[in-house]
Amino acid sequence: MPELPEVEHVARQLRGELIGRTIVAAHVIWARSVQGMDPLEFEERLRGRTVTAIGRRAKYLLISLDDGDALVIHRRMSGNLILAEKDAAAPYTRVAFTLDDGRQLLYTDPRKFGRLLLVSEDTLEQVFAALGPEPLEADFTPEVLEQQLAGRDRAIKALLLDQSVVAGLGNIYADEALFRARIHPLRRASTLTHDEIAALYAGIQGALRTGIEHGGTTFGRFRDVYNEAGRNLEHVEVYQRTGQPCPHCATPIERITVAQRSTHFCPTCQQAHQ
DNA sequence: CTATAAACCTGCTGGC
DNA sequence: TGCCAGCAGGTTTATA
């Protein structure tokens, strides 16, 4: 669920709420939500730490701490970070942090797929080693995208979901980016023209920026730090709009399966062969 | 390199 | 109304 825009939105909210706050206590309720460390050690190392910065890499949220460690959170399918009052409870809370102002930061996750890691700053590089370029950073250019796709013979939709090709796209924004670029999701990457890749580049950035602008896309469970849904669903053009008219040509949107993921596209605007 | 399946989990939806 | 199969935004690992 949380793709780059949803993580970015929450990162921006937390930046205003968490920097300078001290974690008075951490409480792990579902042990497997903590990766690579005993939950007791996780709780101990977090106690008394002050938040110095909030960052994001791909779909990972980073909470930097005053001892040089970073709390890294990947919410996978159903994780949410919610700010709550002192004694408030949220359903499916897996890890709870008590802050020095009395409030709590609750990690909720019905499906238990999400993971929290506590790592030293110099270990971060390893955690992110397999990630491709950050699509909204200045060093991501159409040329970089072209290079990432060069010689690849897979369906373009599958490659957009591959975090080592471009980091941060998920099923929603991959479909949206392809629609914006008018590229059929099953096109082999190696058949894309220079111009099509340029259009795809613009589509990726446009879809992500629109998502961030509207506080992320809530389809199902995504909530922000204030437990509010994202507003981007009404700005989505093809995702989950099977049978509805294409916003560009009114042809009904179709749904197929690509790389085992539901995929939505306009059969008129996104032709299999240009 | 590519493709596919399964695993990790629970909740929701649609069909009967 | 009740039950059950199938599906869900992600990633990793195994197998072919």
Side-chain angles (χ1 to χ4, degrees):
Chain A
M1 149 217 247
E3 305 179 33
L4 187 155
E6 290 72 37
V7 181
E8 179 64 27
H9 179 61
V10 163
R12 290 179 183 183
Q13 291 182 321
L14 287 179
R15 205 164 282 139
E17 298 280 4
L18 235 48
I19 291 180
R21 292 262 78 88
T22 295
I23 298 169
V24 173
H27 181 35
V28 178
I29 296 151
W30 180 256
R32 294 219 266 177
S33 293
V34 173
Q35 186 171 53
M37 186 182 291
D38 185 278
L40 287 177
E41 188 189 345
F42 180 86
E43 293 177 350
E44 256 170 51
R45 279 173 59 171
L46 278 169
R47 191 181 312 132
R49 297 277 63 80
T50 297
V51 175
T52 57
I54 305 285
R56 178 191 62 73
R57 173 76 168 103
K59 303 172 189 173
Y60 292 86
L61 179 77
L62 281 91
I63 301 177
S64 299
L65 305 169
D66 60 351
D67 63 349
D69 280 357
L71 177 59
V72 180
I73 302 174
H74 194 306
R75 297 181 283 158
R76 298 279 180 93
M77 297 284 261
S78 61
N80 278 316
L81 283 163
I82 314 249
L83 270 176
E85 294 308 313
K86 193 176 173 63
D87 294 311
Y92 311 111
T93 298
R94 307 306 181 192
V95 182
F97 303 93
T98 305
L99 306 174
D100 61 349
D101 61 0
R103 292 186 301 173
Q104 310 175 82
L105 180 66
L106 302 176
Y107 177 71
T108 69
D109 189 358
R111 291 180 71 178
K112 300 176 177 171
F113 284 165
R115 292 293 178 263
L116 284 67
L117 299 77
L118 187 58
V119 295
S120 61
E121 219 153 313
D122 46 335
T123 314
L124 269 183
E125 212 173 308
Q126 294 172 35
V127 176
F128 300 144
L131 292 176
E134 195 65 36
L136 295 180
E137 293 296 308
D139 58 2
F140 182 67
T141 62
E143 290 70 35
V144 169
L145 179 61
E146 189 157 35
Q147 189 184 324
Q148 289 295 94
L149 298 176
R152 303 301 299 268
D153 197 34
R154 301 175 68 191
I156 184 61
K157 167 75 185 276
L159 285 169
L160 290 183
L161 292 175
D162 185 333
Q163 301 299 297
S164 68
V165 174
V166 185
L169 291 173
N171 213 30
I172 298 174
Y173 297 99
D175 281 1
E176 293 302 307
L178 287 169
F179 174 74
R180 284 173 179 243
R182 307 288 188 255
I183 294 171
H184 193 287
L186 282 174
R187 283 283 297 283
R188 304 283 116 179
S190 56
T191 72
L192 295 177
T193 66
H194 186 76
D195 286 351
E196 284 176 323
I197 289 175
L200 182 55
Y201 172 84
I204 289 169
Q205 291 204 331
L208 293 175
R209 289 205 172 105
T210 300
I212 294 170
E213 205 175 299
H214 297 107
T217 304
T218 293
F219 174 73
R221 294 198 183 91
F222 167 67
R223 293 293 182 279
D224 67 16
V225 162
Y226 308 111
N227 208 12
E228 284 168 15
R231 294 163 283 108
N232 195 54
L233 194 59
E234 46 197 293
H235 301 276
V236 151
E237 297 182 293
V238 290
Y239 181 75
Q240 280 293 333
R241 294 178 57 88
T242 312
Q244 296 179 46
C246 166
H248 185 247
C249 75
T251 303
I253 299 300
E254 283 185 14
R255 174 183 155 143
I256 58 175
T257 297
V258 180
Q260 300 162 154
R261 310 298 299 280
S262 69
T263 298
H264 314 78
F265 71 105
C266 169
T268 300
C269 296
Q270 298 164 269
Q271 300 275 324
H273 302 287
Q274 74 166 83

